[in-house]
């Protein structure tokens, strides 16, 4: 669902996006999904209670997978992804104008944002869109919940400050068992579309890889979170604008319902969701803000079953609970470095409070669908 980069603090995560192991954005996430900069000045609170915004964010990211599925009923997967990025970027551009934010000026920063846009937005958003051609949106939402597991496994190799603990290794193993339960391994994976499921899992892996890349390359940036996020989505939009015409034909018609789904996916599931997440983390902190990750697969499953009449077998919700339990364990007992890092954004992602003049130590995205 996001685009912006679902953050992780002690976790992933909607993309998207997000410290040692990201918490969610977002195509669906999604997650979290973007780079992060200095946190906004503390003390500026929204007139809407954070609990209400938390609930709204959970619903937006949870329904993102349904919107992807509906969008692909009328448009090619690359077209759905391009539309999502275009409308998400438009929302962030308006927010930047209102707040008078400036785009990053460093060529080096733009180079890293281009790579982050590819790994955290263009690739996972496209993979989720293609995956949902053959798998239910509920399964895509559950696959997205594996992002913290990928993130924890990769961080043990790529991030020297992350040391394995028995609790986190147990969480990784438990999460793996949960994935096998969702996929019905004891039945030989019968009735499962392997390619679609593999693409959804690769999308989640892409979020985790992207978060680590952002943390290693954009830590200490003096640009604001909103500025970095807007620039990253802009670069992802350009990438899809180049790729989409090469692999798809122009639509001969514009079905209204799928078109509205794509507009909502971009403007709400990517643009607005990232702004809400950013404000939540700034107000209540990344630990509370990242908890949205655990509601996304539940809402995605409920939406797919209730709205799209997708089939639901016992192993799907049971496996999802096991995956979430494993993901929660990987986020507990992480190193102090996690608490120092600032999150970013598909989902996808979120900044930790810091003096306005102090560069953020390490951006951390959330997993946005």
């Amino acid at each position: 669902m996001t685009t912006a980069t679902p953050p992780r603090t002690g976790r992933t995560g909607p993309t998207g996006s997000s410290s040692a192991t990201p918490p969610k954005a977002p195509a669906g996430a999604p997650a979290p999904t973007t780079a992060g900069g200095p946190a906004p000045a503390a003390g500026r609170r929204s007139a809407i209670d954070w609990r209400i915004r938390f609930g709204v964010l959970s619903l937006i990211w949870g329904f993102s997978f349904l919107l992807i599925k509906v969008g692909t009923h009328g448009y090619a997967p690359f077209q759905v992804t391009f539309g999502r990025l275009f409308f998400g970027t438009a929302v962030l551009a308006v927010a930047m104008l209102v707040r008078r934010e400036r785009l990053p000026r460093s060529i080096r920063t733009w180079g890293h944002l281009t790579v982050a846009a590819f790994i955290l937005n263009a690739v996972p958003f496209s993979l989720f869109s293609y995956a949902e051609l053959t798998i239910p949106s509920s399964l895509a939402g559950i696959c997205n919940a594996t992002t913290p597991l990928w993130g924890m496994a990769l961080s043990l190799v790529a991030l020297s400050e992350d040391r394995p603990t028995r609790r986190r290794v147990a969480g990784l193993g438990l999460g793996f068992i949960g994935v096998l339960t969702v996929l019905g391994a004891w039945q030989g994976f019968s009735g499962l579309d392997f390619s679609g499921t593999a693409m959804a899992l690769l999308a989640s892996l892409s979020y985790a890889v992207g978060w680590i890349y952002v943390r290693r390359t954009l830590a200490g940036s003096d640009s604001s979170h909103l500025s970095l996020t807007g620039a990253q989505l802009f670069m992802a939009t350009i990438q899809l604008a180049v790729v989409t015409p090469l692999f798809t034909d122009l639509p001969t018609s514009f079905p209204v319902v799928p078109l509205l789904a794509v507009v909502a996916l971009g403007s709400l599931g990517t643009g607005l969701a990232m702004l809400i997440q950013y404000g939540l983390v700034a107000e209540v902190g990344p630990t509370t803000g990242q908890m949205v990750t655990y509601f996304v697969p539940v809402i995605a499953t409920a939406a797919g079953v209730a709205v799209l009449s997708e089939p639901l077998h016992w192993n799907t919700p049971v496996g999802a609970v096991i995956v979430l339990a494993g993901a929660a364990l990987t986020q507990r007992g992480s190193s102090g470095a996690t608490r120092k890092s600032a999150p970013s954004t598909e989902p996808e992602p979120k900044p930790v409070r810091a003096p306005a003049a102090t560069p953020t130590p390490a951006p951390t995205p959330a997993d946005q669908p």
Side-chain angles (χ1 to χ4, degrees):
M1 253 155 314
T2 227
T3 261
T5 79
R8 162 207 171 334
T9 53
R11 157 200 154 14
T12 143
T15 109
S17 176
S18 57
S19 328
T21 335
K24 80 213 221 213
T33 323
T34 55
R44 191 170 59 178
R45 300 199 168 206
S46 171
I48 302 176
D49 186 83
W50 72 267
R51 297 171 187 81
I52 296 177
R53 286 177 284 141
F54 183 96
V56 170
L57 181 60
S58 300
L59 287 172
I60 290 175
W61 273 349
F63 270 85
S64 291
F65 296 97
L66 179 150
L67 294 175
I68 293 173
K69 171 70 80 173
V70 174
T72 57
H73 288 169
Y75 302 97
F78 275 138
Q79 293 169 343
V80 172
T81 302
F82 173 72
R84 172 185 186 174
L85 289 168
F86 177 84
F87 290 109
T89 301
V91 170
L92 294 185
V94 171
M96 290 180 65
L97 288 174
V98 171
R99 300 181 186 182
R100 298 181 179 181
E101 294 275 3
R102 293 182 177 181
L103 290 171
R105 296 182 177 181
S106 168
I107 295 178
R108 179 178 177 277
T109 297
W110 276 100
H112 288 311
L113 286 173
T114 299
V115 176
F118 181 75
I119 304 174
L120 281 170
N121 303 115
V123 169
F125 289 3
S126 298
L127 284 173
F128 272 124
S129 294
Y130 271 102
E132 292 199 40
L133 291 176
T134 56
I135 67 173
S137 63
S138 55
L139 177 56
I142 293 172
C143 287
N144 182 73
T146 64
T147 301
L149 304 176
W150 291 115
M152 182 255 172
L154 292 175
S155 68
L156 296 180
V157 176
L159 299 175
S160 58
E161 66 267 31
D162 276 347
R163 298 301 179 189
T165 63
R166 279 182 290 184
R167 180 191 296 274
R168 298 182 71 196
V169 171
L172 186 61
L174 185 63
F176 180 69
I177 293 174
V179 171
L180 294 179
T181 302
V182 170
L183 303 182
W186 65 93
Q187 299 173 335
F189 306 104
S190 59
L192 180 73
D193 182 83
F194 177 79
S195 61
T197 304
M199 283 189 283
L201 291 173
L202 284 174
S204 300
L205 172 60
S206 184
Y207 283 138
V209 172
W211 291 331
I212 291 176
Y213 176 82
V214 164
R215 188 171 170 189
R216 292 174 69 97
T217 60
L218 289 170
S221 172
D222 56 1
S223 295
S224 72
H225 173 90
L226 179 57
S227 174
L228 291 174
T229 298
Q232 181 180 312
L233 285 188
F234 175 68
M235 294 309 301
T237 303
I238 291 178
Q239 292 168 3
L240 263 294
V242 172
V243 171
T244 301
L246 299 178
F247 294 94
T248 64
D249 297 323
L250 287 174
T252 55
S253 61
F254 294 88
V256 175
V257 173
L259 178 60
L260 292 176
V262 173
V263 173
L265 180 64
S267 58
L268 300 180
T270 301
L272 179 62
M274 293 179 70
L275 293 174
I276 294 176
Q277 183 193 40
Y278 176 50
L280 273 176
V281 174
E283 181 174 333
V284 300
T287 300
T288 300
Q290 77 183 17
M291 291 303 294
V292 69
T293 300
Y294 304 108
F295 291 86
V296 170
V298 176
I299 296 173
T301 300
V305 172
V307 180
L308 300 179
S309 300
E310 294 178 345
L312 180 66
H313 303 290
W314 70 267
N315 57 299
T316 300
V318 170
V321 170
I322 297 174
V323 167
L324 292 176
L329 284 176
T330 66
Q331 302 314 307
R332 300 184 60 181
S334 6
S335 65
T338 296
R339 293 187 296 271
K340 297 177 185 177
S341 60
S344 110
T345 52
E346 195 125 50
E348 121 197 310
K350 311 167 186 180
V352 172
R353 295 177 192 168
T358 305
T360 310
T364 328
D367 64 317
Q368 169 185 4

